[in-house]
Amino acid sequence: MLAVAGCAKAPVSDAVNDPAEGFNRKVFAFNVAVDKAVLQPVSGVAGSGRGPILTGVHNFAANLDTPGDIVNNVLQGRLMRAARNTLRFGVNTTAGIGGLFDPSTALGLPAQETDFGETLYVWGVGEGNYQMLPILGPSTERDTVGIAVDYAINPLRFLIKSPESDYVTGAKVIDKIGSRARHSDTVDSILYDSADPYAQARLLYLQNRHYTLGEAPSDASFEDPYAQ
Amino acid sequence: MHNNHSMMSRRRFAAGFALGSVALALPLPSLALTVDDAKDMIGKAVAEINTTIASGKSQTAMYGDFERIFSRYADVPTIARSALGVAAKKASSAQMASFTKAFQGYISRKYGARFREFIGGSIEVTDARPIKSYYEVISVAHLKGQAPFDLRWHVSDKSGRNLFFNIIIEGVNMLASERTEIGAMLDKRGGNIDKLIVDLKTA
């Protein structure tokens, strides 16, 4: 078994690049404590998280991220997506009353969210090591850079001044609670029912992230239990 | 090792044959799997899942339904063996048999609980394609108030019948996830498979 692992050049599908696992596990324990003390009980009040108010808050917060998506679409050279997101932003901001509603999806323009982490992927930057960020959760070195750059380049950050910018921050915090409520079964089953929540969260994040980026494992790396 | 595996396959083939002819009243296990066979098989499984989701039954009754669907359409022994990983090679055949049984109940409760989120929604099979020595059936899950998401089924006939052995939800694959989970459970019990089997029955 060890000999096989030593010979293999390409990483196997389950292999993870997590040299700081000890530290990451400490951060994860902190995040779980925060969830248990704050997010889980508060989101419990939000019910399914799909009521009209939380849906409106979610639409509003997502709409405010769209200009940043457009900037990234352009940086990625994906001009069709940039055009669709621009149209989406225009329709939702006007007909959707400042982004509270999402008529674009009904019109066949569903959300196509992106981020600077994806832009770095498109530019050929490697994923780097796995990271567990306080509050923000699972990430990779590439995605952490992406989060920082996205914060810096969102055009709305320069246009929206205080006190409106405080409302935006408030909407994002409430949306985070709504999101925790919407995914409560999934999150609870990983954080509180798993034998190793850290390992589950890492696997889920990396596999799903690769899928979102279109970096999904090649057919050759899909496992065939009959061949083992 | 290779010899051992082919023996296992033959035994599974025989078991599949017996189940296929007696329990399901099918005349013969199909001999060659095509893209359309794989797609039809998942189509049937999905139709039963959709019926269960829409049945309005109690959660416990739904778990029972899911376990039946799972045992009928999934290659449970292969999934269980893969989830146990290297420890499966050290386990006795009696241990493997009781582990497989416990695993079937555990996985049905776990994924059954997740399918609860599907109430009011449905799954639609859209496409299928060959990968290596098996098939990937592509489906889309439409859930109430959520953007549709990608659900894929890996189907093989290596057990003697057309059965699925992996589910991939938006890139996250069940075999890898369960190998991590079962591995962690086994570690916590000092590698004791018998303890794991007992605890899995109530997990």
Side-chain angles (χ1 to χ4, degrees):
Chain A
M1 190 61 206
L2 273 174
V4 171
C7 291
K9 283 192 188 88
V12 289
S13 59
D14 290 0
V16 284
N17 198 6
D18 188 8
E21 181 168 343
F23 175 73
N24 283 339
R25 279 188 182 270
K26 289 200 181 84
V27 177
F28 183 71
F30 168 76
N31 286 350
V32 173
V34 171
D35 182 81
K36 199 167 185 127
V38 185
L39 269 178
Q40 193 191 35
V42 173
S43 69
V45 181
S48 71
R50 294 181 205 284
I53 294 172
L54 283 172
T55 302
V57 171
H58 172 71
N59 289 339
F60 179 71
N63 193 51
L64 291 175
D65 282 338
T66 309
D69 292 341
I70 298 164
V71 172
N72 279 305
N73 286 148
V74 172
L75 293 174
Q76 292 157 9
R78 292 168 171 164
L79 300 183
M80 272 307 290
R81 291 193 201 183
R84 280 199 294 265
N85 272 332
T86 305
L87 190 56
R88 193 180 146 78
F89 183 69
V91 169
N92 281 2
T93 305
T94 54
I97 316 178
L100 286 173
F101 299 92
D102 176 18
S104 295
T105 297
L107 295 171
L109 275 174
Q112 281 197 305
E113 290 168 2
T114 184
D115 50 66
F116 196 73
E118 181 164 10
T119 301
L120 290 173
Y121 161 70
V122 171
W123 289 353
V125 176
E127 174 176 80
N129 296 330
Y130 178 74
Q131 290 183 322
M132 179 58 66
L133 303 176
I135 310 291
L136 298 173
S139 185
T140 58
E141 288 178 318
R142 183 175 66 197
D143 287 338
T144 302
V145 171
I147 293 168
V149 172
D150 278 325
Y151 178 75
I153 64 174
N154 189 338
L156 291 185
R157 212 168 61 83
F158 307 104
L159 296 174
I160 302 176
K161 304 284 179 215
S162 184
E164 284 82 0
S165 59
D166 297 335
Y167 305 150
V168 171
T169 309
K172 296 214 162 173
V173 170
I174 294 170
D175 184 42
K176 176 108 180 156
I177 294 163
S179 165
R180 174 68 176 84
R182 279 190 292 280
H183 303 114
S184 67
D185 282 355
T186 315
V187 178
D188 284 345
S189 79
I190 295 161
L191 295 188
Y192 303 110
D193 296 338
S194 171
D196 187 352
Y198 176 82
Q200 281 296 330
R202 182 176 60 191
L203 186 78
L204 248 73
Y205 175 77
L206 291 175
Q207 288 194 343
N208 182 253
R209 184 64 177 159
H210 296 159
Y211 167 81
T212 320
L213 294 181
E215 211 179 11
S218 66
D219 291 353
S221 73
F222 264 130
E223 50 185 320
D224 181 355
Y226 302 98
Q228 282 160 12
Chain B
M1 204 45 80
H2 188 258
N3 223 0
N4 185 21
H5 169 74
S6 61
M7 269 184 62
M8 268 312 294
S9 300
R10 223 171 292 136
R11 211 176 304 148
R12 271 205 300 269
F13 181 89
F17 183 80
L19 206 73
S21 50
V22 180
L24 295 175
L26 290 172
L28 274 171
S30 66
L31 294 173
L33 178 62
T34 66
V35 171
D36 287 337
D37 289 340
K39 205 173 160 183
D40 287 350
M41 194 280 273
I42 294 302
K44 276 185 210 152
V46 161
E48 288 193 30
I49 292 169
N50 285 339
T51 307
T52 303
I53 296 166
S55 69
K57 286 183 188 173
S58 75
Q59 203 158 311
T60 329
M62 278 197 197
Y63 289 162
D65 282 2
F66 285 127
E67 185 163 356
R68 270 189 293 281
I69 296 168
F70 191 65
S71 62
R72 187 175 306 162
Y73 294 102
D75 187 353
V76 183
T78 297
I79 296 169
R81 175 167 287 271
S82 169
L84 197 51
V86 281
K89 292 188 173 128
K90 287 185 288 176
S92 71
S93 53
Q95 280 176 323
M96 277 318 289
S98 49
F99 171 74
T100 303
K101 194 162 177 276
F103 182 82
Q104 178 173 316
Y106 152 81
I107 203 101
S108 305
R109 286 189 296 277
K110 183 173 177 178
Y111 285 81
R114 303 303 312 285
F115 273 116
R116 196 181 53 187
E117 295 162 46
F118 284 58
I119 292 170
S122 64
I123 306 168
E124 178 198 355
V125 174
T126 54
D127 204 1
R129 65 185 187 119
I131 298 182
K132 296 203 289 186
S133 58
Y134 50 90
Y135 292 94
E136 179 173 72
V137 178
I138 301 161
S139 66
V140 181
H142 301 275
L143 266 61
K144 243 171 127 179
Q146 274 188 58
F149 65 85
D150 185 289
L151 192 61
R152 292 170 186 231
W153 315 69
H154 286 179
V155 177
S156 171
D157 62 356
K158 295 264 173 68
S159 66
R161 286 201 302 137
N162 303 335
L163 298 169
F164 75 83
F165 62 89
N166 204 355
I167 302 178
I168 294 117
I169 306 165
E170 300 252 277
V172 178
N173 97 63
M174 178 184 69
L175 282 186
S177 176
E178 287 312 318
R179 191 172 313 116
T180 301
E181 184 65 15
I182 298 295
M185 288 180 82
L186 193 59
D187 282 350
K188 275 194 167 176
R189 286 155 187 83
N192 187 327
I193 294 181
D194 294 320
K195 262 191 197 160
L196 173 73
I197 294 166
V198 171
D199 292 346
L200 211 52
K201 285 176 185 164
T202 52

